Amino acid sequence: MVENNLVKEFVSLVAVEDFEQRYAKDIYEDKFFGMPLAPIVSCEKKLREKQSQSVAYFSMEYGLATSFYNCFQSSQPIDPKNYNEEQEVFSNYPLADYFFTFKLNTLIDLPIYSGGLGVLAGDTIKTMADYAMPAVAVGVLWNSGYFRQRFWYKHGQLPAKTYWEPASYPGLVPLKNKIKLLLRNQQLWLRIWKYYVYSYRGDYCLPLILLDANIPENSERDRRLTDQLYRSDDARIKIMQRVILGMGGVMALKEMGYSVSRYHMNEGHAVFSFIEAARGLSQQQIEALTNQFVYTCHTPVEAGHDRFHSEELKAVLLDEDFSLCERYGLEKPAVINLTLLAMNVSSSVNAVSKKHGEVMHLQFPQYKDKIKYITNGVHSHTWMSPAFQQLLNKYKDVLGDFQTNPMGLEQIKHLAANVEFRQQLWQAHQENKRYLCQLLSKWKFDVNVFTICWARRFAAYKRPSLLMQDVRRLVAISKKIGPLQIIIAGKAHPKDRAGFSFINHMMDKIDGLTENYDTLKIVMPENYEIGLARILTSSVDLWLNNPLPPFEASGTSGMKAVLNGVVQLSTLDGWMVEAQDKNIGKTFGYTNPPGSIGDERELHMSDDAKQLYIALEEMAQMYYAANLGGQVNYNSQWLDLMINCLIAAGYFNTYRMLDQYKQQIYRIL
Ligand SMILES: *Cc1c(COP(=O)(O)O)cnc(C)c1O
C-alpha cells in the first residue's frame, strides 16, 4: 500500500507497472532512486496544464551520460549486464594487448545512442532541465542498444549485440500505459517507459518518454523493431523505426495528457510526428499546425537524408497518412524525402553551425529564407572534469557563478597573466592525464609525453585514418621532436564498408610499428562510448579533428575538449570555423571552394595528410617547449592555448545554444 502523500501523487500521475513489487523499494517517501521525488510530481503536473507552453523534443537517440552524471541509485540488485565489460586494446605493443584489458568500473550509459547526435540530444535536454523549461523528450527504448564493438585481432571490427536489462537499469520505469499505432493492414502496440532527466542541482526535472515495441502484443518480427538503433536491413524496418518515434511519440504525449506548444524534430527521423498530429485536420488547420513544428538538420552528408520509395511508404502507412507525406515530401516521382518533408511542415529550420547554415543554403536554395543556424554546444556540467570544476571554483570572483552561467568562462581572459592560475591549470590537466595514463599503464603511457587523440564515429568524411597515411612521418617526428602517444577510437556502422576498411587499414599500419614503440605509441581501445569520451576529451594534450570540409555540420567532441583546456588541431569545418579567431590550436587542410560543397567521396587524403604532419610537428615542438620531461614552463605559448580553449568554452556550450533556440526558434517562453 502506498502511504506517503508525495508517492501517492506520483503514482496517480505516473502509472508505473509492477509498482508495489518492483519499484516501491526505490520510489518511497521523498525519493526516486535516490533523487528527490518532488520535482517529478511538479513537472508532471505542470506539463498537463493547458497553458504550459511546453516543448516536446523528439530524437531517435539520447546520450545522457547516465553512468557518471546525476546517477540514480537502486536498492535492488542490478543485472551484471548493465555494467561495463572489459575492453581490449589494439596497439603497436602486442604483448600488452595480448595479456591486458582495461575496464571502466561503472554502469553502462543508457545504451540508446550511437554518437554525437545522441550526445547533443542528451546535452540539450539536460540544459532544458537546468533552465527549468517546461519540456518533455521523446525517444525509443533500444532493447539491444546500438552495438558493442569488439576487435577481431588484426582483422578489424566485430560488431556484437549490446545485452542490457532495461528493467533493472536504475531510474528507468515501465508504465502501464500502452498505445496502439494504426498502420496499413496491421496495428503495432508500444509500451511507454519513463526516465527523468534532472537539472544539475537536482531541483527540477523533465520526463524522457521511451517507446518500446518489445511486448507480447506484437508479433515476433515486430518485437524486434526497437531492437537496434539505425538498423538498415530493409526499408520497412527503417520506416517503422521512424514511425514509432514520430507517430508513437505524439500518441504517447496525448496519452500522458501533456499539452505541447512546440514540437522540435531533432533530425528528419522524427517527421512522422507531424503526420500523426495532422491526421484528420482540415487544410487550414494543417497550415496552422506547421507553426508548432521546428526542425534541426544535423548533416550535409547524403546518407543522413532519408529517402523512401512511395511504394515502401504505402506498404506501411494508411492512405491518408501517405497522402500527407506525398503532399509535403515528394522530391521526384515516387520518391519521398524526409528532409524535404520536415522542411515543408516546419515553421523554422536550422543548421547547427554558421558554416553548415551556408552549406544548407547551397543544398536547398529554395528554402534559403527559412534556414537559420544555431551553433551546437556541450553541457558543461557533464563534460567538464571534476579537476577543472574545482580549479575554476577558486576563481568565482572573476568568473561569477560559471556553473549557472557558463558564459562566464569568457572572463578567464582576465586570468591569462595570473601565474598561480597557470600553474593550477597545468596541474589540473596533469591530474586528468595521470588518470588516463593509469588506465593505459600496461601500455606504458607516460604523463609527460605529448598525447594526441582522434575519437568519434568512423564515418568516411571524418577521415579516421588521415593521421596514419604516412606512418614514417610519425616515426620521424617522434624521433626528431619528442615521443608521441596516440589514441584512436570509434565505431563504424556495421553496414558501412568504408568504415570497416578504415579500421583494418589502421590496424595493419599499427601492426607494422612494433619496433618503434619506444618513441611512438599508438593504441586503439575498442567500443568507443560516452564513458571513454569523457576520459579522453579531458585528459589528452591535443584533440585531433580532421573531417573533410564542408561535411562536418558542427562536431562537438572538440567542444568537450576545450572545456578541459585541451588544445585543438583541426580542419576548417563545422564549429571550428567560428573558433578560428580564438587561437585554441591550429587549423590545416583542404577547404571546399566557395559556393560549392564539393564531393564527399573525394577525401583529399594525401595532400591533407602532408599538411597534418607539418602542423603536428609544430604542435609537438610547442608542447615540448612547455613540458620537457616534467620541467614545465608556465609562461609558454602552449598554456596560452589551453587558456584560450577555456575562454572559448564560454561560447560553445548548450546554455548559449538553448538561449538562442528559445529566442529564435521556440519563441514561446
Ligand atoms: C561527443 C561524442 C561524439 C561526437 O564526436 P564528433 O567529434 O562531434 O563527431 C561521438 N561519440 C561519442 C561517444 C561522443 O561522446
Side-chain angles (χ1 to χ4, degrees):
M1 268 312 295
V2 177
E3 303 283 346
N4 174 288
N5 275 340
L6 198 57
V7 176
K8 246 187 224 162
E9 237 183 323
F10 169 77
V11 173
S12 73
L13 290 161
V14 186
V16 176
E17 173 97 52
D18 239 356
F19 181 80
E20 292 292 343
Q21 265 150 36
R22 184 151 200 137
Y23 296 98
K25 296 183 196 79
D26 284 311
I27 307 171
Y28 65 96
E29 290 174 8
D30 57 351
K31 289 278 182 279
F32 179 87
F33 291 90
M35 295 290 279
L37 182 57
I40 295 184
V41 170
S42 88
C43 82
E44 288 287 353
K45 281 197 205 153
K46 195 164 174 187
L47 285 166
R48 288 169 169 84
E49 288 167 9
K50 277 279 158 293
Q51 69 280 19
S52 89
Q53 299 273 298
S54 54
V55 174
Y57 188 86
F58 282 69
S59 179
M60 205 58 143
E61 46 172 311
Y62 290 90
L64 289 161
T66 51
S67 65
F68 60 86
Y69 182 73
N70 272 353
C71 307
F72 290 111
Q73 288 146 25
S74 177
S75 63
Q76 312 254 58
I78 295 174
D79 194 302
K81 290 201 284 290
N82 291 348
Y83 285 96
N84 277 308
E85 295 175 57
E86 311 259 318
Q87 289 182 230
E88 296 201 355
V89 172
F90 186 92
S91 75
N92 58 337
Y93 188 37
L95 208 60
D97 300 353
Y98 189 75
F99 287 109
F100 304 107
T101 55
F102 72 90
K103 187 174 174 183
L104 308 181
N105 286 312
T106 58
L107 276 182
I108 55 169
D109 279 294
L110 209 50
I112 54 171
Y113 71 96
S114 78
L117 179 70
V119 175
L120 178 83
D123 281 5
T124 302
I125 63 175
K126 282 183 265 187
T127 312
M128 287 175 168
D130 294 342
Y131 272 172
M133 266 174 72
V136 46
V138 180
V140 177
L141 187 100
W142 300 108
N143 287 262
S144 307
Y146 180 45
F147 72 92
R148 163 76 162 89
Q149 180 190 49
R150 292 188 190 284
F151 283 160
W152 184 23
Y153 182 64
K154 280 192 203 171
H155 300 285
Q157 167 181 289
L158 193 67
K161 267 200 171 178
T162 304
Y163 293 100
W164 70 295
E165 199 45 73
S168 96
Y169 199 94
L172 184 61
V173 291
L175 305 193
K176 291 179 185 153
N177 313 60
K178 285 179 186 160
I179 54 177
K180 186 169 74 175
L181 291 186
L182 293 179
L183 303 167
R184 182 174 303 270
N185 304 329
Q186 85 159 109
Q187 53 195 32
L188 182 75
W189 286 92
L190 297 173
R191 186 221 305 262
I192 296 174
W193 295 74
K194 268 192 180 168
Y195 191 82
Y196 289 94
V197 176
Y198 279 78
S199 64
Y200 74 93
R201 287 201 178 88
D203 58 355
Y204 188 86
C205 73
L206 59 86
L208 167 60
I209 289 176
L210 295 170
L211 301 156
D212 178 13
N214 185 20
I215 46 175
E217 286 85 342
N218 293 326
S219 68
E220 273 306 309
R221 179 175 83 146
D222 284 348
R223 290 182 71 156
R224 287 197 300 272
L225 288 170
T226 50
D227 194 23
Q228 279 179 293
L229 174 59
Y230 299 133
R231 269 180 70 180
S232 52
D233 324 22
D234 65 40
R236 178 178 177 272
I237 294 179
K238 285 178 83 168
I239 294 168
M240 289 294 272
Q241 291 193 335
R242 285 150 183 75
V243 162
I244 289 170
L245 173 66
M247 295 193 173
V250 168
M251 290 186 75
L253 294 171
K254 281 193 194 134
E255 171 74 16
M256 293 294 109
Y258 296 162
S259 81
V260 172
S261 298
R262 289 290 179 275
Y263 296 84
H264 186 166
M265 302 186 283
N266 189 45
E267 262 311 334
H269 305 138
V271 76
F272 292 108
S273 55
F274 183 85
I275 306 296
E276 176 67 33
R279 190 179 302 125
L281 299 186
S282 69
Q283 184 55 29
Q284 212 177 0
Q285 289 168 318
I286 290 178
E287 295 297 324
L289 186 66
T290 60
N291 288 326
Q292 294 188 33
F293 279 74
V294 301
Y295 162 51
T296 302
C297 179
H298 288 270
T299 183
V301 172
E302 268 305 308
H305 299 268
D306 292 322
R307 289 183 174 83
F308 295 106
H309 195 279
S310 293
E311 294 305 321
E312 293 167 342
L313 277 171
K314 263 192 211 158
V316 173
L317 300 177
L318 296 175
D319 284 339
E320 184 190 348
D321 295 347
F322 174 73
S323 351
L324 273 176
C325 294
E326 201 172 34
R327 168 141 35 111
Y328 289 105
L330 196 68
E331 182 178 18
K332 54 188 181 204
V335 176
I336 312 278
N337 178 329
L338 296 196
T339 303
L340 280 189
L341 181 55
M343 289 200 288
N344 287 332
V345 301
S346 301
S347 57
S348 154
V349 177
N350 74 284
V352 291
S353 71
K354 184 166 188 280
K355 168 116 189 188
H356 181 218
E358 291 160 13
V359 171
M360 278 192 82
H361 285 184
L362 292 173
Q363 287 182 308
F364 309 105
Q366 66 281 33
Y367 295 88
K368 216 172 159 186
D369 296 338
K370 207 172 188 177
I371 299 169
K372 308 183 190 86
Y373 77 87
I374 292 180
T375 305
N376 284 163
V378 293
H379 184 244
S380 44
H381 295 280
T382 303
W383 296 104
M384 187 185 279
S385 58
F388 273 65
Q389 292 189 29
Q390 278 158 25
L391 163 68
L392 298 183
N393 267 328
K394 294 186 195 142
Y395 292 91
K396 279 200 158 154
D397 53 331
V398 182
L399 309 181
D401 182 3
F402 73 94
Q403 311 216 283
T404 312
N405 178 12
M407 281 71 97
L409 293 172
E410 283 172 356
Q411 302 310 315
I412 289 177
K413 59 180 182 242
H414 301 301
L415 297 171
N418 179 331
V419 180
E420 200 184 354
F421 176 74
R422 294 174 78 100
Q423 288 175 354
Q424 291 167 342
L425 171 65
W426 182 260
Q427 279 150 15
H429 172 69
Q430 290 299 88
E431 185 181 326
N432 289 340
K433 194 171 170 187
R434 217 167 281 126
Y435 180 75
L436 172 74
C437 293
Q438 253 163 30
L439 210 58
L440 294 174
S441 62
K442 297 292 194 271
W443 287 264
K444 301 187 185 170
F445 264 49
D446 181 336
V447 72
N448 291 315
V449 170
F450 186 39
T451 304
I452 302 138
C453 179
W454 188 104
R456 53 184 61 73
R457 290 179 306 111
F458 273 47
Y461 78 90
K462 292 175 183 277
R463 303 190 293 185
S465 64
L466 191 67
L467 185 59
M468 305 297 289
Q469 281 299 294
D470 182 1
V471 289
R472 286 165 315 170
R473 280 285 280 137
L474 285 178
V475 173
I477 295 169
S478 74
K479 290 199 166 134
K480 181 175 152 204
I481 313 291
L484 302 176
Q485 296 174 154
I486 297 174
I487 302 170
I488 299 174
K491 296 176 181 176
H493 185 280
K495 289 271 151 78
D496 176 6
R497 287 186 178 201
F500 261 66
S501 65
F502 281 122
I503 297 182
N504 296 2
H505 175 69
M506 284 204 279
M507 286 183 162
D508 279 350
K509 296 255 174 121
I510 293 172
D511 200 43
L513 290 169
T514 52
E515 302 286 293
N516 303 90
Y517 202 67
D518 274 352
T519 57
L520 176 61
K521 298 179 169 50
I522 308 182
V523 302
M524 284 176 72
E526 64 179 9
N527 204 41
Y528 184 58
E529 290 196 329
I530 290 181
L532 197 52
R534 183 215 201 184
I535 294 168
L536 294 175
T537 54
S538 62
S539 64
V540 300
D541 301 302
L542 187 69
W543 194 255
L544 176 62
N545 176 50
N546 45 230
L548 175 75
F551 295 100
E552 188 65 88
S554 164
T556 52
S557 62
M559 300 177 188
K560 302 165 191 167
V562 295
L563 260 176
N564 292 288
V566 170
V567 174
Q568 308 288 310
L569 176 55
S570 178
T571 48
L572 254 180
D573 204 11
W575 75 284
M576 272 309 288
V577 175
E578 288 154 81
Q580 203 178 348
D581 59 354
K582 298 187 192 289
N583 197 16
I584 57 174
K586 224 178 214 336
T587 59
F588 70 96
Y590 165 87
T591 49
N592 56 303
S596 151
I597 64 168
D599 181 350
E600 69 181 86
R601 289 159 308 181
E602 183 55 68
L603 291 175
H604 298 271
M605 293 293 266
S606 62
D607 286 351
D608 273 12
K610 283 189 194 114
Q611 290 199 41
L612 167 57
Y613 294 124
I614 294 169
L616 187 69
E617 182 163 342
E618 288 171 17
M619 297 302 265
Q621 236 149 9
M622 205 192 290
Y623 177 83
Y624 282 116
N627 178 21
L628 200 59
Q631 289 283 51
V632 185
N633 174 3
Y634 296 105
N635 283 322
S636 61
Q637 218 183 335
W638 191 266
L639 268 130
D640 292 337
L641 295 182
M642 290 175 69
I643 290 170
N644 292 339
C645 285
L646 284 172
I647 296 171
Y651 185 79
F652 296 103
N653 62 72
T654 40
Y655 297 85
R656 182 268 314 150
M657 180 189 89
L658 202 55
D659 282 343
Q660 292 177 327
Y661 273 99
K662 281 160 82 172
Q663 287 155 18
Q664 300 174 40
I665 308 283
Y666 303 145
R667 293 180 299 165
I668 39 174
L669 304 161

